[in-house]
Amino acid sequence: MPKRIKSTGIVILVLMILLVARLAQIQLISPGSFSSYDVNLIEESVRQRTHSFTFHDGRGLLLDSSGNSLSADKKLTVVLFPFLKNADAPIKKLSAFLGVNEKEIMQQLIKAEKPFALDLNKEISLDEMKVINSWKIEGLYAQWVSLRKPQVFANHFIGAVGEDEKLLKENYPEKWETGTINRTTRTGKNGIQAAFDPFLISEGESQYVYHVDRSGAPLFGLDVKLRTPENPLYPLQVKTTLNSRIQQIIEDSITDAGIKSGGAVLLDTESSNVLAMASRPIFTAKNVFEPEYQNQMLKAHPPGSVFKIVTAAAALESGTGLTERFDCSKNIYGKKDERDLGMLDLEESFTQSCNSAFASLAQKLYAHDSGFFDIYAQKLGLFPTAGWTGEVYHYSDFRHFPEEDDAQIWGKLNKHDRNAPLAVSQTAIGQLNVKVTPLAAANMMAAIARGGQVMEARAAASVLYSDGAEMVTFPLHKRKAAVSPYTIMKLQSMLRHVVTDEAGTGQALAALPYAVAGKSGTAEKDGVTEDVKWFAGYFPAQAPKYALVVLDLKHDDQNKVLKAFSSMVKEIYILDRESLPR
C-alpha cells in the first residue's frame, strides 16, 4: 500500500507540474503565438469579449468611367445592438418615428447575437438619419452601410475578393505588424481587384464596437465606441475605364448569342481604354482559379485567319506579292481545297481568307527575314502583351492586367523546325503554335483604326482619394508608329472589303447601322472537337470609335460570333444616338 500511494502521488505531482507548465505557456510564455497555428490568444480573448458592427470594411472602391460604384453599394439604414432587446422605450420611439411595426423590430432584435442592420425593406432618408442620431440613444444609430456587390456584372474584369492570411502577410507585412489589417481583411483574388490591390487594401475598418461579459451583456462603464481610420482621405477609389452601359450590352449580347465559353472585349480606338470586357463561363468562389473559368480575354488562343493581318502587313510593307495572283483552289499542303476560290490577288485572298495565298507570301517573306512574324506582330501591338505596364510609386512593373498571357508565335519550336516550309505556312495563317489574347487582337484593331500608332490598353485612368482628388494617374502609353501610312491605309481597305464584298467572310455584318471593318478567324484546337471562332474589327469604319473582338472557344455549326458582334454594334449605335444633343 505505501508503494502504491507513493506511486500515485508521484503521478499526480507530475500531472500537476505539466498542468502548471501548460498554463504558464498559455498565459506567460507564448500567449501571442500559441501552437503550430500561431494563434494570438490575447487577440482571441479580446475578440470573444468584443462585439462590433462594421459599416465599411475599409477596402477601396472601383468606379466606372462615369464615377458610379462597381464593387459596392451604400445604403442608409438603422444599426441596432442586441442589448436594446431589454429596453422598450427606444424601440417604441423608433417604431413610431419610422412607421414600422414594433413587433417586427423586436423579432429581429431577439434573434440577433451581434449588432445588425435593421431590415426595413426601405432606405431611410437623410433627414430621418439626422433625427435618429440626434436622440443619442446608445446602441441605436442611423448610418451609411457599405454592401459588397455579388460580382456577376463584369465578373472577370472586376474580379473577386476573399480572405487570405498568408497572402496578406507576404504582400503587406508592415500593415500586418501594425494591426491595420488582420486575417479577416479581404484581398483581391483576380481581375482589377487583384491588380489594384495595393491601392484598394483596407487602411482600417469603420465600425461600432462594444465589450461584453460572459453572458453577452455590455460591460458597465463601457459605451459603444466609433472606430474609423485615422486618415480621412482613405479608402481610395480606382476610377476604371469601364462604361457600365456598354458593358451591359456586351454581357447581354454574349448570353443571347449562346456563347458559353469565350467572350468579348471592346476598346476605345482613340485611347485603347477598355470600355467593356466579358468572359464566359462566369466564375464562382469555388472555381475562381480553374483554367476554364479564368478571364478568356486575357488568355492566349489560336487566332486562325485573324493572324493573316500580320502576314499581310509584312507583305504590304515590303512590296511582296502585290501584283501576284495566287492559286486558291489548293490548300497549304498543295492539295485541292474544300473551297475552290480560283486565282485571286492579295486583296481578294484576304477578303475570302485564302490560306494558300498567305502560305505562299510567308515563304518568300521568311526567306528574306526569318523574324518577320515577331517583328510585325509587335509593330501592330499584338505581341508580346497589350496591357498597360509602367512604374507607379515603388512598383517598377505595375500591370493593369497581370493575368494577361504573352502572345506566342513559334512556341517551343527550335530554329531547325521553324525553317520547315509547312511550319512557316501554318504560322502564316494563325495555326500551329500561334496564340494571341483577344485583348491584344482588339489592341491591334485599334492601332490600325487610328492610323498605326500602338497604345497600351488601360483598365483604369486614375486612383482617387475619398474626396475625389487625384492620387495617381495612368498616362496613355504610346509607341512610335512603326508601320507606314500606305500599309495602314491598305489594311483598312482590306478589312473593310471583308465585310462589304459579297464573297467576304464578314459579309453578314454589311447591313449594320455602323459600317464595320474586320477579319474573321477559325482555328483548330488539338484534341478538341470544337473550333475556335473569332471576329476582330472596328467601327464606324469611316471614323472609328470602337475596336471589338468576339471569341467563341466552342464553335459548332452555328456562327455565334457574328450574331453577338452584330447585336453589339446595333445596341451601341442606339446608345450613341441617345447621347446626341437634341
Side-chain angles (χ1 to χ4, degrees):
M1 286 296 293
K3 288 184 178 180
R4 290 183 180 179
I5 293 172
K6 186 176 180 180
S7 300
T8 303
I10 292 172
V11 170
I12 292 173
L13 180 61
V14 169
L15 291 175
M16 290 293 291
I17 292 172
L18 290 174
L19 179 60
V20 170
R22 185 64 165 171
L23 289 172
Q25 181 189 15
I26 293 172
Q27 296 188 12
L28 301 174
I29 300 172
S30 57
S33 180
F34 181 71
S35 81
S36 59
Y37 294 98
D38 199 28
V39 177
N40 190 317
L41 296 176
I42 298 173
E43 286 185 1
E44 289 303 312
S45 176
V46 173
R47 194 189 303 276
Q48 288 179 6
R49 295 290 176 261
T50 303
H51 282 187
S52 64
F53 179 84
T54 301
F55 53 87
H56 196 296
D57 62 7
R59 186 167 180 81
L61 294 176
L62 294 175
L63 310 178
D64 69 8
S65 58
S66 298
N68 301 310
S69 176
L70 291 169
S71 55
D73 285 326
K74 289 173 68 177
K75 182 181 179 181
L76 194 54
T77 188
V78 175
V79 178
L80 295 178
F81 280 66
F83 57 74
L84 285 176
K85 66 182 68 173
N86 300 318
D88 292 337
I91 303 307
K92 287 181 179 179
K93 190 172 185 178
L94 179 65
S95 171
F97 179 68
L98 294 179
V100 179
N101 190 295
E102 183 181 342
K103 288 184 179 180
E104 292 181 8
I105 299 176
M106 285 304 299
Q107 285 174 356
Q108 295 182 50
L109 261 174
I110 291 169
K111 293 178 182 178
E113 296 180 357
K114 294 184 178 181
F116 67 100
L118 187 62
D119 184 7
L120 294 169
N121 294 320
K122 69 172 186 176
E123 187 172 326
I124 65 173
S125 68
L126 286 171
D127 289 336
E128 289 172 327
M129 173 186 180
K130 292 176 182 177
V131 172
I132 292 170
N133 288 335
S134 70
W135 299 341
K136 298 188 182 302
I137 298 174
E138 205 70 44
L140 192 162
Y141 310 96
Q143 177 66 54
W144 285 105
V145 176
S146 180
L147 304 171
R148 290 285 161 191
K149 293 182 178 180
Q151 275 325 312
V152 175
F153 178 79
N155 178 261
H156 288 86
F157 179 84
I158 294 173
V161 293
E163 297 176 8
D164 192 327
E165 183 176 335
K166 182 180 178 182
L167 192 62
L168 288 169
K169 288 180 178 179
E170 289 176 358
N171 292 344
Y172 311 103
E174 292 182 6
K175 290 180 184 290
W176 185 269
E177 290 297 326
T178 59
T180 304
I181 58 177
N182 54 55
R183 67 182 187 183
T184 63
T185 300
R186 293 191 287 183
T187 186
K189 294 292 188 179
N190 62 339
I192 303 304
Q193 290 281 16
F196 290 83
D197 199 58
F199 297 104
L200 298 170
I201 195 71
S202 176
E203 291 291 326
E205 299 173 330
S206 297
Q207 55 186 193
Y208 291 111
V209 179
Y210 77 114
H211 299 278
V212 298
D213 59 20
R214 287 184 62 187
S215 64
L219 289 172
F220 294 108
L222 291 178
D223 298 330
V224 175
K225 304 295 184 183
L226 176 62
R227 182 190 296 167
T228 59
E230 295 180 2
N231 194 332
L233 296 177
Y234 285 78
L236 300 176
Q237 305 170 95
V238 175
K239 189 170 185 179
T240 73
T241 58
L242 203 74
N243 183 310
S244 290
R245 297 185 70 183
I246 294 180
Q247 177 70 28
Q248 193 62 61
I249 289 171
I250 301 301
E251 300 263 8
D252 293 343
S253 297
I254 290 172
T255 300
D256 293 344
I259 296 176
K260 292 181 170 42
S261 181
V265 55
L266 181 80
L267 303 186
D268 170 52
T269 55
E270 184 178 349
S271 61
S272 273
N273 284 344
V274 175
L275 300 179
M277 179 183 285
S279 179
R280 296 291 186 274
I282 290 173
F283 69 81
T284 65
K286 294 180 179 179
N287 55 33
V288 61
F289 295 120
E290 292 180 17
E292 182 183 355
Y293 293 91
Q294 292 178 15
N295 189 348
Q296 300 304 323
M297 300 302 97
L298 303 178
K299 298 290 117 182
H301 308 284
S305 294
V306 171
F307 194 74
K308 289 175 183 174
I309 297 171
V310 174
T311 308
L316 291 167
E317 197 81 341
S318 63
T320 304
L322 301 187
T323 59
E324 190 175 347
R325 294 185 69 81
F326 303 92
D327 186 358
C328 292
S329 63
K330 297 180 180 179
N331 59 27
I332 62 173
Y333 306 101
K335 298 179 180 180
K336 185 175 178 61
D337 195 70
E338 294 178 1
R339 298 184 306 150
D340 187 352
L341 302 176
M343 300 298 293
L344 303 177
D345 62 21
L346 176 58
E347 187 165 320
E348 291 169 335
S349 297
F350 187 87
T351 299
Q352 299 181 47
S353 207
C354 168
N355 289 337
S356 61
F358 286 86
S360 176
L361 284 171
Q363 298 296 337
K364 297 174 182 178
L365 291 165
Y366 191 84
H368 178 70
D369 182 359
S370 61
F372 86 91
F373 284 126
D374 304 69
I375 292 170
Y376 280 91
Q378 187 167 15
K379 285 183 176 183
L380 292 173
L382 194 64
F383 180 83
T385 58
W388 195 98
T389 303
E391 185 174 351
V392 180
Y393 283 140
H394 55 280
Y395 297 97
S396 60
D397 187 32
F398 187 84
R399 299 181 65 187
H400 283 202
F401 301 100
E403 301 162 63
E404 180 187 6
D405 287 347
D406 285 0
Q408 175 181 300
I409 307 298
W410 295 105
K412 296 181 180 180
L413 279 186
N414 58 40
K415 190 172 182 180
H416 176 268
D417 291 337
R418 293 182 189 185
N419 292 331
L422 183 56
V424 174
S425 296
Q426 290 175 318
T427 301
I429 61 172
Q431 291 285 177
L432 194 58
N433 292 327
V434 182
K435 289 185 178 181
V436 303
T437 67
L439 178 65
N443 202 42
M444 175 177 68
M445 301 311 296
I448 294 170
R450 62 175 164 256
Q453 186 175 68
V454 175
M455 296 183 184
E456 293 177 357
R458 293 193 305 177
S462 58
V463 178
L464 310 175
Y465 289 110
S466 60
D467 63 358
E470 284 187 347
M471 176 190 184
V472 174
T473 59
F474 302 103
L476 296 177
H477 282 181
K478 301 179 181 180
R479 300 176 193 168
K480 185 177 179 181
V483 180
S484 69
Y486 166 78
T487 296
I488 292 297
M489 180 187 69
K490 289 296 292 181
L491 284 176
Q492 290 174 342
S493 174
M494 292 162 68
L495 290 167
R496 179 65 181 139
H497 283 152
V498 168
V499 177
T500 58
D501 194 292
E502 290 185 359
T505 55
Q507 204 275 330
L509 305 174
L512 294 176
Y514 271 147
V516 173
K519 186 76 184 79
S520 61
T522 305
E524 297 175 354
K525 291 187 292 186
D526 292 337
V528 181
T529 55
E530 302 97 340
D531 290 332
V532 178
K533 189 71 174 179
W534 300 68
F535 195 87
Y538 60 84
F539 58 94
Q542 301 86 348
K545 292 175 62 179
Y546 308 102
L548 175 62
V549 169
V550 180
L551 171 70
D552 183 5
L553 292 171
K554 294 186 177 180
H555 171 64
D556 48 31
D557 56 343
Q558 293 183 334
N559 198 326
K560 300 168 188 173
V561 163
L562 291 183
K563 181 180 179 180
F565 197 103
S566 177
S567 174
M568 293 171 193
V569 174
K570 289 176 183 177
E571 293 301 318
I572 291 172
Y573 174 82
I574 293 171
L575 183 63
D576 286 349
R577 296 287 293 179
E578 289 176 356
S579 62
L580 291 175
R582 297 182 180 179

